[in-house]
């Protein structure tokens, strides 16, 4: 018997350690929380992605009275980008979340389904997506969604 230990590399940064472009992307994710539709969970998630041409697209969680019909912010943004600009790579994705107390202090971490979708976008475009997880007390920067989904399922 042997143990296999899988590690995940995360950089934790303070706001002023981020570049202007990184701050802009994260601010867009924060802003996107204000147009989320989350009347059931009251948990407002925003995602902002940067395309290869430098433009930013946003997404946010869209809930439904029939709960499973809803969609997370990350997938809303990624599916919108891939449906409108399938030939432009997604270079970075920032995520922020807010509840009744305001923005989360520790970074929001994407659900398993979103990680699976992020990974397939990376595989499809053959380039990593930099991930930024916003928390008021620090931002996690991760080089690729590969880091977030070890033992991933692929065909
Ligand atoms: N949610 C996201 O939008 N992204 C995540 O990574 C985790 C969860 C949404 C789904 C649902 O609308 C609400 O947050 C509470 O789960």
């Amino acid at each position: 018997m042997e143990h296999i230990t899988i590690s995940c590399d995360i950089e934790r940064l303070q706001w002023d350690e981020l570049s202007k472009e990184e701050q802009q992307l994260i601010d867009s994710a924060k802003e996107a929380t204000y147009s989320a539709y989350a009347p059931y969970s009251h948990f407002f998630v925003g995602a902002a992605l940067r395309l290869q041409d430098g433009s930013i697209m946003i997404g946010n969680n869209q809930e439904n009275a029939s709960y499973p019909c809803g969609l997370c912010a990350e997938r809303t943004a990624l599916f919108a980008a891939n449906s409108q600009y399938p030939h432009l790579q997604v270079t970075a994705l920032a995520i922020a979340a807010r509840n009744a107390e305001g923005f989360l202090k520790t970074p929001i971490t994407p659900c398993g389904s979103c990680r699976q979708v992020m990974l397939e976008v990376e595989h499809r475009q053959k380039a990593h997506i930099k991930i930024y997880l916003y928390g008021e007390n620090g931002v996690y920067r991760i080089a690729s969604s590969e880091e977030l989904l070890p033992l991933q399922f692929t065909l």
Side-chain angles (χ1 to χ4, degrees):
M1 200 270 279
E2 64 175 302
H3 284 276
I4 301 172
T5 305
I6 302 173
S7 64
C8 163
D9 190 53
I10 300 175
E11 295 172 308
R12 183 169 184 275
L13 298 107
Q14 296 305 315
W15 190 250
D16 56 13
E17 293 181 285
L18 294 158
S19 70
K20 285 278 163 287
E21 289 71 26
E22 291 173 317
Q23 290 179 353
Q24 184 194 29
L25 191 69
I26 295 166
D27 278 337
S28 299
K30 292 175 72 179
E31 185 66 32
T33 65
Y34 292 98
S35 44
Y37 179 64
Y40 305 104
S41 70
H42 303 286
F43 188 71
F44 303 90
V45 187
L49 58 82
R50 178 128 10 223
L51 292 174
Q52 208 176 2
D53 66 359
S55 61
I56 289 177
M57 291 184 68
I58 61 141
N60 42 44
N61 52 333
Q62 297 293 321
E63 297 185 350
N64 190 277
S66 174
Y67 291 3
C69 297
L71 197 63
C72 292
E74 299 89 322
R75 279 176 286 164
T76 303
L78 288 168
F79 288 153
N82 277 174
S83 57
Q84 294 174 64
Y85 304 103
H87 303 299
L88 286 184
Q89 288 177 357
V90 176
T91 59
L93 174 70
I95 309 158
R98 201 166 44 76
N99 59 21
E101 279 138 42
F103 283 99
L104 304 192
K105 300 268 178 283
T106 51
I108 162 90
T109 52
C111 79
S113 297
C114 288
R115 293 177 200 212
Q116 180 74 27
V117 169
M118 286 152 62
L119 190 77
E120 186 144 338
V121 175
E122 284 196 346
H123 288 169
R124 175 180 170 178
Q125 67 185 20
K126 298 185 177 61
H128 291 320
I129 303 173
K130 266 199 178 154
I131 312 292
Y132 296 90
L133 307 178
Y134 178 75
E136 290 220 300
N137 293 339
V139 173
Y140 288 172
R141 184 170 64 194
I142 300 156
S144 158
S145 59
E146 296 261 353
E147 294 286 335
L148 290 173
L149 197 61
L151 303 180
Q152 55 205 236
F153 174 74
T154 51
L155 287 174

